[in-house]
Amino acid sequence: VADALLAALEAAVGAAHVLADDDRRAGFETDWTGRFHGDARAVVRPADAGQVAAVLAACRAHGVAVVPQGGNTGLVGGGVPRGGEVILSLTHLRDLGAVDRAAGVVAAGAGVTLAELQRHVRALGLDPGVDLAARDGATLGGMVATDAGGTHALRYGTVRARIAGLQAVLADGSVVEPRVLKDNAGYDLAALLVGSEGTLGIITAVRWRLVARLPARVTALVSLDSLDAAAALMTTVRPRLPSLEAADFFLDDGLALVLDHQRRSDPGFARAPVYVLLECADRSDPTEELASALREAGIEDAVVATGSADRERLWALREGHADAIAAVGVPHKLDVGVPLDRLAAFVAEVDAIAGDARVVAFGHLGDGNVHVNVLGGDDAIDEAVLRLAAAHGGTISAEHGIGVAKARWLSLVRSPAELRAMRAIKAALDPDGILNPGAVLVT
Ligand SMILES: Cc1cc2nc3c(=O)[nH]c(=O)nc-3n(C[C@H](O)[C@H](O)[C@H](O)COP(=O)(O)OP(=O)(O)OC[C@H]3O[C@@H](n4cnc5c(N)ncnc54)[C@H](O)[C@@H]3O)c2cc1C
């Protein structure tokens, strides 16, 4: 059977794009964190939607499931096999069209990375309106599939807000395409695929809604005594800063880890328990607006950077967290969201339940989005942290998705009626259960 499947896959995409040997599959079978791994039958790399449809037909005929994969930067194990599936790698779908300036959109293949899209459109004074530290690897298809957030979600929303249409291949091999830009005829299938994590269809191309790239930027690093003070800072500055583009936080133990990893000893500012990075962007210099909002909040001594190199040095401290943590061990990554006024209590309680395990927390302050990283904990810590987030009125996934890591706990934040509706949608669009089984919904 396996050989017949491989022959059908080779007929679909060409033998050069079917990777069946152990060593050629290996890089696709383990996730970015090293925590999730599964053996695949093969990795297939289609070049267009027609080939994707042919791969799905071959897999359906052989009763084998597919795991779609983009840049494999996902953090919830949804893009790597559980065992025995075919990995459908979408990185060869690389068309990048001309920007439609009148409409403010650009068409791009699912395999284009965020950094490539940023370069493509920034040259024209435009911006994708999304940014995240995995920009060099994360693909547009993966970002749509996870409804990624990132640092600019505060201003522009998550990826969902950037989608003006999708081309996708459904489980039965049919291809859905976007038509005109403004189009509300019937159910919005593209909206359904956003955040579906490869379980409802394969995204092959996106029509991405762009924003103006605001050229004048300022970043401030504010040192604070507590997360309650950080929440209060947000409450004061947010209404005063229409130019606010990002508001992230990290803690002093996380900073220590990053400095160690980056072989730096002195961050260039006094150490404190909590740090908040605020970035404003506008057509004209927003520095005075930011300074005045900080004064209103009683902050006199922020580190302020306007040049891009200085700003990047500050952001490297926040964006360096994932790499610094990965250098120490394989973390349990729990991306959760809580109401801002619960943030301090939540993080303190996570520390308490983690016991001897090391907790590193950082995230997107403006969205109440905490990335809880636990080093040295066992599987029980996942459930404990997710239950705690739910108990604080929060969510078990703010931006990374459910994947396989959290599928067991979806009922903590989704009602029986919502879960029934999700299962009905899944059964209707993927009746044979070949699209990423085990991700999002427990099979
Ligand atoms: C250092 C670092 C920083 C990060 N920062 C952020 C952040 O700030 N915000 C944030 O939201 N995420 C962040 N992430 C997580 C990750 O980058 C995002 O989840 C991203 O959207 C994944 O894109 P990808 O192409 O790597 O997808 P993959 O990891 O390959 O896949 C992710 C999921 O999408 C599915 N999928 C992938 N491509 C397709 C497709 N074409 N069609 C259908 N399904 C598909 C997969 O099956 C899987 O379930 C970060 C990750 C790292 C390593």
Side-chain angles (χ1 to χ4, degrees):
V1 175
D3 286 352
L5 172 64
L6 287 185
L9 294 173
E10 289 181 1
V13 299
H17 303 295
V18 178
L19 316 181
D21 297 343
D22 290 359
D23 53 340
R24 298 189 74 199
R25 293 192 328 258
F28 299 83
E29 291 178 329
T30 299
D31 81 319
W32 190 89
T33 64
R35 184 176 171 200
F36 299 98
H37 170 89
D39 294 330
R41 295 279 184 98
V43 178
V44 287
R45 296 190 291 189
D48 56 32
Q51 291 192 356
V52 170
V55 171
L56 292 187
C59 289
R60 209 173 40 247
H62 288 87
V64 172
V66 298
V67 175
Q69 187 181 94
N72 197 12
T73 68
L75 300 173
V76 287
V80 292
R82 279 104 258 173
E85 302 93 335
V86 164
I87 296 176
L88 182 59
S89 168
L90 284 314
T91 55
H92 285 190
L93 278 69
R94 303 192 35 78
D95 287 345
L96 190 46
V99 172
D100 178 341
R101 299 177 78 147
V105 297
V106 64
V112 171
T113 65
L114 174 59
E116 287 166 340
L117 182 68
Q118 287 174 335
R119 281 195 291 276
H120 186 61
V121 304
R122 282 181 183 170
L124 299 170
L126 296 165
D127 194 270
V130 174
D131 202 12
L132 41 88
R135 58 184 75 81
D136 291 315
T139 63
L140 303 184
M143 291 171 56
V144 174
T146 55
D147 188 17
T151 48
H152 294 173
L154 174 80
R155 185 173 204 167
Y156 299 114
T158 59
V159 162
R160 180 177 297 286
R162 310 265 51 84
I163 299 309
L166 293 178
Q167 182 196 61
V169 182
L170 302 181
D172 66 1
S174 51
V175 179
V176 295
E177 304 264 6
R179 294 169 79 92
V180 287
L181 204 56
K182 193 174 184 190
D183 182 358
N184 74 352
Y187 300 146
D188 187 346
L189 294 179
L192 201 53
L193 292 176
V194 178
S196 65
E197 300 184 55
T199 63
L200 299 181
I202 309 299
I203 296 146
T204 47
V206 306
R207 190 158 61 186
W208 196 278
R209 206 182 284 285
L210 302 165
V211 301
R213 172 80 179 158
L214 297 165
R217 277 166 192 274
V218 57
T219 305
L221 182 132
V222 182
S223 302
L224 295 164
D225 287 339
S226 67
L227 279 171
D228 275 332
L233 172 69
M234 269 321 285
T235 308
T236 306
V237 301
R238 185 122 193 220
R240 290 175 172 79
L241 287 178
S243 61
L244 191 63
E245 190 145 303
D248 273 26
F249 78 95
F250 51 96
L251 308 179
D252 197 51
D253 52 350
L255 176 65
L257 207 60
V258 171
L259 291 174
D260 207 32
H261 182 62
Q262 296 179 354
R263 299 185 197 291
R264 291 165 63 179
S265 51
D266 178 10
F269 47 81
R271 302 291 283 268
V274 176
Y275 307 96
V276 174
L277 275 174
L278 300 173
E279 180 154 306
C280 293
D282 214 334
R283 295 211 175 273
S284 56
D285 187 0
T287 305
E288 188 38 48
E289 184 181 84
L290 176 58
S292 140
L294 288 176
R295 276 195 300 275
E296 288 272 337
I299 308 289
E300 302 288 347
D301 55 354
V303 180
V304 176
T306 50
S308 61
D310 289 342
R311 287 191 298 101
E312 275 166 27
R313 255 194 297 281
L314 289 180
W315 275 105
L317 299 173
R318 155 66 183 86
E319 293 197 334
H321 272 64
D323 281 334
I325 292 164
V328 176
V330 175
H332 285 231
K333 285 190 172 285
L334 299 156
D335 156 55
V336 302
V338 292
L340 198 52
D341 60 1
R342 301 292 188 90
L343 183 62
F346 170 76
V347 172
E349 287 167 38
V350 169
D351 268 331
I353 58 174
D356 291 337
R358 182 171 186 180
V359 177
V360 184
F362 60 95
H364 309 298
L365 179 70
D367 304 322
N369 182 180
V370 197
H371 298 320
V372 175
N373 286 255
V374 185
L375 284 158
D378 56 24
D379 284 349
I381 194 70
D382 294 31
E383 179 166 351
V385 172
L386 299 181
R387 282 192 182 282
L388 198 57
H392 278 282
T395 178
I396 64 168
S397 170
E399 60 174 19
H400 290 169
I402 294 295
V404 296
K406 299 177 184 170
R408 269 182 292 161
W409 296 292
L410 192 54
S411 62
L412 286 176
V413 290
R414 292 291 175 256
S415 68
E418 288 170 321
L419 290 171
R420 270 197 308 279
M422 288 186 198
R423 287 192 183 282
I425 292 167
K426 170 74 175 168
L429 287 182
D430 182 22
D432 301 321
I434 63 164
L435 296 179
N436 217 2
V440 183
L441 297 167
V442 176
T443 44

